[in-house]
Amino acid sequence: METSNRNFKDYYVIDLAHIAKAIFQKAWAIILAGVLTASIGFSMAAFFIEPLYSSSVRLYVNNSSLSLGSASLSISSSEISAAQSLVRTYIVILKDQTTLEKVIEKAELPYTHDELYDMIDAYSVDDTEVMKVEITSKDPYEAAKIANCIADVLQIRIAEIIKGTSMEVVGYATPDVHKISPSITMYTAIGFVIGFMLATIVIVLIALSDKTIHDEDYLLKAGDYPILAKVPDLYDDGVGKYGYKKYGYSSAKKIGKENDK
């Protein structure tokens, strides 16, 4: 049982060495595959994937004195948790179907409220009373138009729903022609990694399925088989593939000439 375990272990040690050697010998193929897939990733990001643009508007939530229905609420501007809660309330009102339909109507957008909902991202800026509304669109000018329209519509909606409060525009949105996605660098890097990994996996699988006996060391380490004889390669001059000095073709030719004499 000890011998079997030792042979089993040695068998996998020599396999790992063979796999490492196969990867090293085919390193050029792995790099080439990575470069090819990186080129595909670059081409997709640069020419085939439609770019997206973003524009944002900042709104200040005035919460010094609020009344919701018959209940009055007084909040100090220093109470950050209360400000965050109020911003979250405003975000819910912003993404309400009625609000979005008013934005679609005012801006004359070719979207449904669900499609517009997916284009909007709203959050508190650094846990303050300033709310940022970001719009992502295929057109930078459309993104700015929607953001500014939301600022106008939301102020009216907030005043209608939460009495005694107000919302001020800190800064209106302007078109930003720099696309936010896709990232050419990211797609190129991902393409290279995919090609590199796929090529490596293929080479490892080929090496694992290779049952060829490459040298006597493989036999000695894979099993307790004695080497009784070795047939030299008379046509391979110099150092052999696995580091063994073999008889070359010139040596065989010289021996043949000496025998003719």
Side-chain angles (χ1 to χ4, degrees):
M1 191 69 179
E2 246 179 64
T3 304
S4 175
N5 290 337
R6 178 173 57 81
N7 290 341
F8 183 81
K9 181 180 179 181
D10 289 341
Y11 176 83
Y12 275 90
V13 167
I14 194 65
D15 266 357
L16 291 176
H18 175 58
I19 290 170
K21 186 183 296 183
I23 292 174
F24 178 77
Q25 291 174 346
K26 297 295 183 180
W28 64 270
I30 296 174
I31 295 174
L32 180 60
V35 171
L36 289 176
T37 51
S39 301
I40 294 174
F42 174 86
S43 300
M44 289 179 61
F47 305 110
F48 296 101
I49 300 177
E50 194 167 12
L52 295 176
Y53 302 89
S54 176
S55 189
S56 62
V57 62
R58 292 172 183 253
L59 304 166
Y60 173 72
V61 177
N62 186 357
N63 65 342
S64 58
S65 178
L66 302 178
S67 62
L68 183 58
S70 59
S72 295
L73 179 63
S74 178
I75 303 176
S76 171
S77 59
S78 63
E79 296 177 342
I80 302 300
S81 60
Q84 293 174 345
S85 177
L86 190 61
V87 169
R88 288 194 294 269
T89 302
Y90 283 13
I91 292 173
V92 172
I93 296 174
L94 163 63
K95 294 189 175 184
D96 182 72
Q97 181 176 343
T98 303
T99 305
L100 296 181
E101 287 177 348
K102 287 181 179 292
V103 173
I104 292 171
E105 181 181 356
K106 182 178 177 63
E108 299 179 348
L109 301 175
Y111 304 119
T112 65
H113 70 272
D114 288 331
E115 292 171 336
L116 182 58
Y117 182 95
D118 294 333
M119 297 168 64
I120 298 173
D121 186 22
Y123 51 90
S124 173
V125 178
D126 298 328
D127 298 330
T128 64
E129 294 172 284
V130 176
M131 183 174 72
K132 185 175 183 180
V133 180
E134 286 187 351
I135 305 298
T136 302
S137 174
K138 298 174 183 177
D139 183 349
Y141 297 94
E142 181 185 67
K145 177 183 177 181
I146 295 173
N148 291 329
C149 185
I150 285 176
D152 295 337
V153 171
L154 189 58
Q155 290 183 79
I156 299 173
R157 286 282 290 164
I158 294 297
E160 292 174 349
I161 296 173
I162 306 178
K163 304 299 182 181
T165 187
S166 63
M167 173 179 282
E168 303 295 334
V169 178
V170 177
Y172 281 100
T174 56
D176 186 356
V177 296
H178 297 91
K179 65 180 182 180
I180 59 171
S181 70
S183 170
I184 293 179
T185 302
M186 184 183 70
Y187 272 74
T188 303
I190 291 175
F192 181 84
V193 171
I194 290 175
F196 186 92
M197 292 180 62
L198 288 177
T200 303
I201 291 172
V202 170
I203 290 172
V204 169
L205 291 176
I206 293 174
L208 289 174
S209 62
D210 184 11
K211 303 301 181 182
T212 306
I213 297 175
H214 297 281
D215 51 35
E216 63 269 25
D217 286 340
Y218 182 88
L219 288 176
L220 290 173
K221 293 182 179 181
D224 295 328
Y225 304 109
I227 305 300
L228 301 179
K230 177 182 176 183
V231 179
D233 186 356
L234 300 178
Y235 297 97
D236 185 12
D237 196 11
V239 178
K241 182 177 179 182
Y242 294 95
Y244 297 97
K245 183 72 177 177
K246 299 182 181 180
Y247 292 103
Y249 177 76
S250 57
S251 301
K253 190 174 181 181
K254 183 177 179 181
I255 293 173
K257 286 182 178 180
E258 290 179 354
N259 290 336
D260 291 339
K261 291 179 181 179

